[in-house]
Amino acid sequence: MTRRFVTGDENFSPGHRACIGCGEALAMRQVVKALGDNIILVNATGCSEIIASALPTTSWKIPWIHTLFENTASIASGIESALKVVERKGKRKKAKVIAFAGDGGTSDIGLQALSGALERGHDLLYVCFDNEAYMNTGIQRSSSTPYGAWTTTAPSGKMSIGQKTWKKNMPAIAIAHDIPYMATACPSYPFDLMDKVKKAVSVDGPSYLHIYVVCPTGWRCKTNLTIRLGKLAVETGIFPLYEVEEGKYKMSVDPPELTPIKDYFKIQGRFKHLSDEVIEEIQKKVTGDYQRLKEKMEGL
Amino acid sequence: MTKRVGLEGSFAVSEAVRMADVDVLSAYPITPQTHIVERLSEMVADGDLDAEFICVESEHSAMSACVGASAAGARVFTCTAGQGLELMHEVLYIPSSMRLPVVAVVANRALSSPLSVWGDHSDAMAVRDIGWVQIFAENVQQAYDLTLCAYRIAEDKDVLFPAMVHLDGFHLSHVIEPVILPDQRQVDDFIPEFEYPFALNPDKPVSMGCYGPPYIYTEAKKSQNVAFESSRKIVSKAWGEFEGIFERSYLPVESYRTEDADVILLVMGSFAETAMLAIDRMRKEGKKVGLARLRLWRPFPFDEIRKAVKGAKLLVVLDRCISFGYGGPVCSELRSAFYREKNRPDIVSFIGGLGGRDITIDQYEYMIKRGKEISENGSEEEFEMIGVRQ
Ligand SMILES: Cc1ncc(C[n+]2csc(CCOP(=O)(O)OP(=O)(O)O)c2C)c(N)n1
């Protein structure tokens, strides 16, 4: 007898146009599987939107809306408020409102709208798919691009190491809004990811998921490395998996020893120009940040 | 029961929104719109209006929240002015192409810089090509009436376009005038409970806002325009119904003493009332002059304006906006609307009333006289700006 842990239903149906090895499409599929049918999905402009909605086709079997790049959290706020009123007036029952956006749509152009929605306390789940650049428009840098990475607008060159700034800590910004639930996840850990989705939608109020999604096209890596790179990001401490529930921090995966970041860097073209000294500098930052995060964990 | 009360323009709008039983309000404060958002907040706080008020962090989000709420099937309202409407600009295209009946009131304000909180029509003109029904009010009663009408029009199954009511900042938003408020039952008859046919609903999933590659975008825009054009007749129908219930009438173009007029002055918004005084004065002197007001700005009332000025030799147009390097936007549209007419009037362009500057009765009289001179002798300039201190 086989036991299914995950539904076979695909509300995000196959046949969309994501690149081979797309971590974002994989993550979306996992998130949607964990969400069930009683949802309304709001999508920002970006890869997640463009791969699955060319008129007159759609991959979405649940109600779905896309309008612009930076207003996803505001559209979601409007829907959530509308559902509240129509339920109160006895017209229709509520559904859970979910927002999808990339790291650019979240940590750059959509940050104000997201902050507003989190601060106002709407009952919605906002999911950021972080592929560490504006991939839809051709691998331009975002504030979520890691230090040293090559992108088309922060190219490496004689005078440049590529991205000159450290990755913006978007999960910390979300937590700073005192929301009931925040978690990081990665589709290389599907059960952890889906558990977190379920937890996130079960809270009353805003929740935020920051999902690390490998982009072979933009990261200049082999398309069969998506799962491996996701694991390495976690095992190196570059992208720690943790959750914050009502202010309490909990590590989801805590490797006894961190893998050197070199193992993660060397299989990606976007880091290939980096010298050993720069990698060492980044290693120090990663180790330090990881330690500081662990200090926040309960019971440690 | 109908009652007559003294109300500020902003409060009259708020009263219309309350009586329309709006579900979701979302707005961001900006002078001279603030009294509307404040009054509505009070109504919600006091339980006089059962709505969700989303106190957003920007106008971009105010319009976005309205779009989301409307897509989910709620009746929505927002209000703004000047810079706020500019910040909404990107979002304004969404309800008109997704066919969402969002209603907005704009307390018209000049645009920076220099910063000006005072009224003109620059903000309204900057959004004329988007596919919103745009209606201009002239006094406080109209601000109330036309806000109600905006719901009746926008939510009509043969329209389903967003609608914007313009009231001049300060000149209307902050002016107290007597207003006749109807009975709630009359309002309910006029704008019955609304059910959006394609609302976001898990029981009947739809995808909204898919992207349009070149093989389909043109068709999408063509069908949008066909639908928008055909909503013109519904506007008139709605105003007819309004008259039947409330006994006040509105027309896409409203005329004042134009019967045998040789010269017709054309203005929009609150300045029409002063312009009427100028017409009265000149009529008393035996001059054959009249006034036309564009009540409906979009969809543009081609037939009505052609009829309204039939027989006149000259149309003098006042714009409260300047299109830099061109002239007055209303005038340029009128010139093109008359271009193919056989017996068209000459059209002369004036620009004034920018950033809250008043226009006096004398200045309207001047425009009519100077317009005749320009018509007879020509002018070096495409338009004349009035009231400029040299
Ligand atoms: C106002 C506005 N500015 C710029 C764009 C162009 N644009 C579309 S998607 C995108 C990048 C999306 O990046 P991200 O949010 O990281 O998502 P990804 O495509 O990487 O999943 C940009 C810059 C736009 N659509 N709208």
Side-chain angles (χ1 to χ4, degrees), chain A:
Chain A
M1 197 191 82
T2 51
R3 232 181 101 203
R4 266 205 104 93
F5 290 101
V6 177
T7 174
D9 293 348
E10 304 285 358
N11 281 336
F12 172 50
S13 13
H16 55 72
R17 297 145 197 238
C19 305
I20 302 173
C22 176
E24 185 156 305
L26 180 61
M28 282 158 69
R29 182 173 172 225
Q30 292 178 8
V31 171
V32 170
K33 274 177 181 283
L35 283 171
D37 297 327
N38 194 30
I39 59 163
I40 293 173
L41 190 57
V42 189
N43 215 142
T45 309
C47 288
S48 58
E49 164 259 334
I50 218 86
I51 58 172
S53 75
L55 273 174
T57 66
T58 178
S59 291
W60 296 103
K61 289 190 187 160
I62 37 91
W64 177 91
I65 182 171
H66 156 257
T67 68
L68 298 167
F69 187 19
E70 68 278 35
N71 64 347
T72 316
S74 312
I75 295 279
S77 303
I79 296 174
E80 188 262 352
S81 299
L83 295 182
K84 224 188 255 169
V85 190
V86 295
E87 188 179 61
R88 188 161 73 222
K89 294 185 178 175
K91 291 180 193 165
R92 236 172 72 192
K93 69 175 195 322
K94 264 186 90 167
K96 193 81 189 191
V97 181
I98 317 293
F100 278 8
D103 51 287
T106 302
S107 59
D108 292 338
I109 200 165
L111 185 57
Q112 173 180 319
L114 172 60
S115 178
L118 297 182
E119 175 268 327
R120 290 188 300 269
H122 295 278
D123 184 19
L124 52 85
L125 163 62
Y126 187 102
V127 185
C128 170
F129 296 102
D130 184 3
N131 53 22
E132 302 198 311
Y134 301 162
M135 295 308 181
N136 184 48
T137 36
I139 328 172
Q140 295 89 15
R141 84 172 283 271
S142 79
S143 59
S144 198
T145 302
Y147 181 80
W150 164 92
T151 58
T152 54
T153 51
S156 50
K158 258 188 255 152
M159 309 295 287
S160 165
I161 62 150
Q163 178 85 344
K164 293 182 193 62
T165 51
W166 296 100
K167 184 181 175 79
K168 188 185 275 186
N169 191 343
M170 200 48 227
I173 293 172
I175 295 162
H177 289 80
D178 259 338
I179 53 174
Y181 188 76
M182 193 301 297
T184 65
C186 174
S188 301
Y189 300 81
F191 294 111
D192 177 68
L193 185 149
M194 285 187 257
D195 283 348
K196 283 169 173 168
V197 171
K198 285 178 187 150
K199 232 185 223 180
V201 289
S202 72
V203 304
D204 194 13
S207 49
Y208 177 87
L209 284 184
H210 195 97
I211 304 186
Y212 202 66
V213 292
V214 175
C215 172
T217 309
W219 295 8
R220 299 295 194 237
C221 67
K222 289 200 177 122
T223 54
N224 62 357
L225 288 180
T226 302
I227 303 300
R228 176 94 201 96
L229 271 171
K231 288 215 156 173
L232 271 172
V234 174
E235 287 162 1
T236 52
I238 283 175
F239 190 81
L241 295 187
Y242 67 104
E243 57 186 352
V244 184
E245 222 175 328
E246 299 293 351
K248 291 196 178 69
Y249 285 69
K250 199 175 141 232
M251 214 71 190
S252 318
V253 175
D254 189 17
E257 209 173 311
L258 294 182
T259 307
I261 62 165
K262 225 176 170 149
D263 295 3
Y264 171 80
F265 276 33
K266 69 184 179 207
I267 47 177
Q268 300 179 56
R270 62 174 174 158
F271 295 119
K272 73 165 191 281
H273 58 284
L274 295 184
S275 65
D276 287 347
E277 294 82 69
V278 174
I279 293 178
E280 193 44 45
E281 184 195 350
I282 299 172
Q283 178 68 66
K284 277 200 192 106
K285 168 96 168 125
V286 169
T287 314
D289 285 353
Y290 193 80
Q291 276 315 318
R292 273 188 292 280
L293 178 68
K294 273 189 74 170
E295 282 158 21
K296 293 185 174 154
M297 299 299 146
E298 283 289 299
L300 278 175

Side-chain angles (χ1 to χ4, degrees), chain B residues 348 370 373-384:
Chain B
V348 174
R370 175 79 186 124
E373 268 171 42
I374 293 172
S375 181
E376 279 155 21
N377 310 324
S379 165
E380 301 264 287
E381 291 172 331
E382 297 290 333
F383 63 88
E384 187 173 312

